[in-house]
Structures are given as structure tokens and as C-alpha cells.
Amino acid sequence: MQNKVTEIGEAFLAQYRKEHANKKDVILMDIFLLFSFCTGVLQFLYLLIAGQFPYNSFLAGFFSTLGLFISTACLRMQVAHPSEFDDIPKEQAFADYVVCNFILHFVVITFMG
């Protein structure tokens, strides 16, 4: 069982490296997506261990992490496959990302009170 999981992981990494060898921006976004995912998991584990006393703070932090993950995933799709998004430039996709994150974090800070 462990050998099969190891084989699957090695095959995934080999295919990933082959496809994204020249795309440093996509690799950087993937690392940030992994970081954002781990942050959300840690926040949820903290909720389970420490309790939910400042519940608004937990929701604001978790929704901030979730929104950041989703918007970064959308940016990654636009940068990795521009032909599927009417060939918009990377600069415009990044500008949309910044504006959406600004609005997201404004709402999160407002929700925290």
C-alpha cells in the first residue's frame, strides 16, 4: 500500500516538473496555495483545540484564508492557461487579483469589528 502511494506521489511530481519547468510564476503560486491551505487547516485545528470564544475572529480569519486561496487559484488558472480566458494579459489578471483581495480583506476587517 505504501509503495503505491509513493509511486503515485513520484509520478505526480515528475509530471508536474515536466509541465511547469519554465513557469516559475505558476510554481510560486502553487507554493502560496499550499501555504494558504495549511493556514486554513491550522486555523481549524486551533478552533477544535482552543475553542471558539471569539467566533467572529475565527470566521473572519478562516474566510480570509479561504477567499485568498480561491482568488489565488483563479489567478493561477488565468496565468497558466491564458487562451481559455480570452488571452488577457498577466498584468490585468494580477490587477484584478489585487482589487479582489483588497475588497475581501476590507470585508473581513469590517466583519471582525
Side-chain angles (χ1 to χ4, degrees):
M1 175 71 177
Q2 187 177 9
N3 289 338
K4 290 189 180 215
V5 173
T6 306
E7 288 176 21
I8 291 171
E10 289 173 355
F12 171 76
L13 284 176
Q15 182 68 23
Y16 180 83
R17 287 183 184 137
K18 186 174 117 181
E19 283 188 25
H20 302 296
N22 299 332
K23 299 178 182 178
K24 300 289 183 192
D25 48 354
V26 174
I27 293 172
L28 186 64
M29 282 186 267
D30 288 339
I31 292 170
F32 187 71
L33 283 169
L34 182 65
F35 169 76
S36 181
F37 177 77
C38 291
T39 302
V41 169
L42 286 174
Q43 285 178 345
F44 188 72
L45 288 175
Y46 181 80
L47 171 77
L48 293 177
I49 293 170
Q52 59 180 359
F53 169 61
Y55 195 62
N56 280 358
S57 296
F58 164 72
L59 284 180
F62 192 74
F63 288 153
S64 172
T65 303
L66 183 66
L68 189 63
F69 181 85
I70 291 170
S71 62
T72 306
C74 291
L75 176 65
R76 185 200 184 281
M77 288 189 307
Q78 290 178 354
V79 169
H81 307 290
S83 61
E84 294 179 14
F85 296 94
D86 296 330
D87 291 321
I88 63 170
K90 290 181 184 181
E91 293 82 10
Q92 181 182 352
F94 185 71
D96 293 344
Y97 174 77
V98 169
V99 169
C100 289
N101 278 309
F102 181 76
I103 294 169
L104 168 72
H105 287 94
F106 177 75
V107 170
V108 165
I109 290 171
T110 303
F111 183 72
M112 279 183 13

